[in-house]
Amino acid sequence: MSGTFEGKVVLVTGGAAGIGRATALAFAAQGARVVVSDIDSHGGEETVARISAAGGHSSFIVCDVARAEQVAALMQNIHSDYGRLDCAFNNAGIEFEQDKLADGDEAVFDRIMDVNVKGVWLCMKHQIPLMLAQGGGAIVNTASVAALGAAPKMSIYSASKHAVLGLTRSAAVEYAKRGIRINAVCPAVIDTDMFRRAAESDPRKAEFAAAMHPVGRIGKAEEIAAAVLYLCSDGAAFTTGIALPVDGGATCI
């Protein structure tokens, strides 16, 4: 395989399914050596198998991004196995909240913040030293259109994704002169297993989701992957600290 990322080492967290899997496949198709990470070993190994079947190079490392020791071990394994880390897509995240703010559950708050915020912070904390040692790199964090406005009945999730943008922008400024570019991608509703399960439980959700996008449909995981690859590419060399909506025009309304 050959392409834009030929020979580059790329990490994709949350790579067992959905956006993470689509992005891992896309990086591999462009020649990258992809490290897939997730708490779901079965799904992660399936992603690696698909990459291998297509002629790509990939490996899987199980990791809970909310656990500092596991994130540190993940980055140490990457350093030991590959000697470098060129790009990282910090995509691992959770979304299980359907209550108004005053009805929220503290345990749910803690879990969402642990994975969506602490997880991104821990990953960047350990990725950045690897990139500094080699003279640079590119990081993309998964935020959400919920980070760009209000998200009724998802206030905790929205707050976590606002925090991801805060981490992204601050780190982007801190390391801009050190050759590390850090950006965020902000998807709207995307056709993933999570969305399908929600739509099956309440078909009205699918209708509402399609209607909220001016293009008249929900997004595809591959469309988010394309945005991530652009932000990691040399074509985005002058782009850092941005929150890129990939939302079918939803934030224009």
Side-chain angles (χ1 to χ4, degrees), residues 122-217:
L122 282 171
C123 284
M124 288 201 294
K125 175 180 173 61
H126 291 281
Q127 290 159 359
I128 287 170
L130 291 180
M131 293 181 175
L132 288 174
Q134 69 200 26
I139 296 172
V140 177
N141 300 320
T142 297
S144 168
V145 292
L148 303 175
K153 292 189 175 181
M154 295 177 65
S155 59
I156 304 169
Y157 175 80
S158 177
S160 75
K161 294 302 185 177
H162 275 79
V164 168
L165 293 189
L167 291 171
T168 299
R169 290 164 172 157
S170 299
V173 172
E174 289 172 352
Y175 296 99
K177 292 183 179 179
R178 303 290 300 277
I180 301 176
R181 297 186 299 100
I182 305 172
N183 294 291
V185 65
C186 298
V189 181
I190 306 299
D191 186 11
T192 62
D193 291 341
M194 182 184 296
F195 170 75
R196 293 185 200 116
R197 288 193 296 269
E200 287 172 3
S201 65
D202 185 355
R204 293 174 299 176
K205 290 183 179 179
E207 297 175 6
F208 173 79
M212 70 178 279
H213 305 89
V215 298
R217 63 173 177 85

Side-chain angles (χ1 to χ4, degrees), residues 43-127:
E45 295 289 0
E46 173 62 24
T47 300
V48 168
R50 292 192 188 190
I51 290 173
S52 297
H57 179 98
S58 183
S59 60
F60 174 72
I61 302 175
V62 66
C63 178
D64 180 349
V65 297
R67 301 282 299 276
E69 71 279 7
Q70 292 191 27
V71 175
L74 169 63
M75 302 310 164
Q76 182 58 50
N77 284 335
I78 291 173
H79 179 69
S80 298
D81 293 344
Y82 297 97
R84 62 186 299 109
L85 177 62
D86 298 288
C87 307
F89 179 36
N90 296 320
N91 171 68
I94 54 175
E95 174 187 348
F96 54 89
E97 177 192 8
Q98 296 183 6
D99 291 316
K100 291 183 179 180
L101 189 145
D103 300 319
D105 181 89
E106 184 177 0
V108 172
F109 180 95
D110 289 342
R111 183 58 180 160
I112 290 176
M113 290 296 174
D114 270 355
V115 177
N116 291 4
V117 183
K118 183 181 178 182
V120 170
W121 176 74
L122 282 171
C123 284
M124 288 201 294
K125 175 180 173 61
H126 291 281
Q127 290 159 359

Side-chain angles (χ1 to χ4, degrees), residues 26-46:
F27 270 120
Q30 290 293 323
R33 293 176 289 173
V34 182
V35 179
V36 177
S37 181
D38 206 295
I39 59 172
D40 178 2
S41 296
H42 178 75
E45 295 289 0
E46 173 62 24

